[in-house]
Amino acid sequence: MTDETSHGALASASRRRVLDALRAAAGPLDARELAAATGLHANTVRFHLDVLARAGFVTESAAPVGGRGRPRITYSSATPAAGGGYELLAEILAAGIEAGGGAEPAGRAWAEGAPAQGFDDAEARTMALFTELGFDPRRAGDGGIELHACPFLAVARRHPGVVCNVHLGLLRATVEGAADATLTPFARPGVCLARLSATR
């Protein structure tokens, strides 16, 4: 199978509709069921299924029949839907960390550097860190730091115990020695809240 075969299999909007219907289904579907789900003619669906199967996106199997006649041929998606390079990679890593634990230490390890020089430096580093990561941080009126526009929002909603704890680890490593830090995920819709308090 060449790259052109894979890309060509997804070049048709109708073919992608067939594949999406298979991915959304609770189990294998036959051509007639897919025709009903997509609004396409059954012969058109069979043509698309053949192309998708040759490209490796779809598997087919013979379902047993209760009497005489040919077995019912059903189809299933052979590949998961991928939202894009970053999102797929983040999803895989988040699921792996979630299974094995250690999200906050992973964030700490990535952000470790020279200790902050006092509370003001810790606060400035926090603003710089989350600005560079794309969070659009803003100082809240009560002394907290609101984190808007999380670039990992889709994955964070599915794996908050991983993504948010990685961010907590980043935050704590950034302010270590000068401040203690907490992070409240989704303190408001779409906004997380970081709080720093001077180390005693």
Side-chain angles (χ1 to χ4, degrees):
M1 181 180 66
T2 65
D3 289 346
E4 289 76 15
T5 304
S6 295
H7 292 298
L10 299 179
S12 160
S14 295
R15 203 169 296 140
R16 287 194 307 271
R17 198 170 1 152
V18 170
L19 185 57
D20 288 343
L22 280 174
R23 287 175 171 162
L29 300 176
D30 64 21
R32 282 183 308 192
E33 292 167 327
L34 280 165
T38 60
L40 299 169
H41 190 278
N43 287 338
T44 303
V45 167
R46 286 185 186 94
F47 168 75
H48 289 321
L49 287 168
D50 183 56
V51 173
L52 290 166
R54 279 188 281 121
F57 289 102
V58 166
T59 59
E60 66 177 60
S61 57
V65 291
R68 295 169 50 136
R70 292 189 303 184
R72 177 175 163 251
I73 304 299
T74 61
Y75 300 86
S76 302
S77 171
T79 58
Y86 142 74
E87 189 172 349
L88 177 61
L89 176 62
E91 182 74 24
I92 291 167
L93 292 174
I97 291 173
E98 194 168 58
E104 185 182 333
R108 278 183 174 271
W110 187 84
E112 280 180 351
Q117 303 299 308
F119 183 82
D120 291 344
D121 183 43
E123 191 175 49
R125 288 183 185 203
T126 299
M127 293 294 289
L129 169 73
F130 286 105
T131 296
E132 190 167 356
L133 290 174
F135 280 84
D136 187 22
R138 302 174 196 167
R139 294 179 198 276
D142 60 359
I145 298 172
E146 293 182 343
L147 304 176
H148 299 257
C150 174
F152 313 99
L153 187 59
V155 180
R157 284 188 173 135
R158 290 190 298 273
H159 303 284
V162 174
V163 177
C164 300
N165 279 336
V166 167
H167 295 152
L168 177 59
L170 289 170
L171 174 61
R172 286 183 169 162
T174 299
V175 303
E176 195 158 21
D180 295 318
T182 61
L183 181 65
T184 305
F186 309 115
R188 296 198 328 264
V191 179
C192 297
L193 183 64
R195 288 196 181 281
L196 306 183
S197 56
T199 302
R200 296 179 186 185

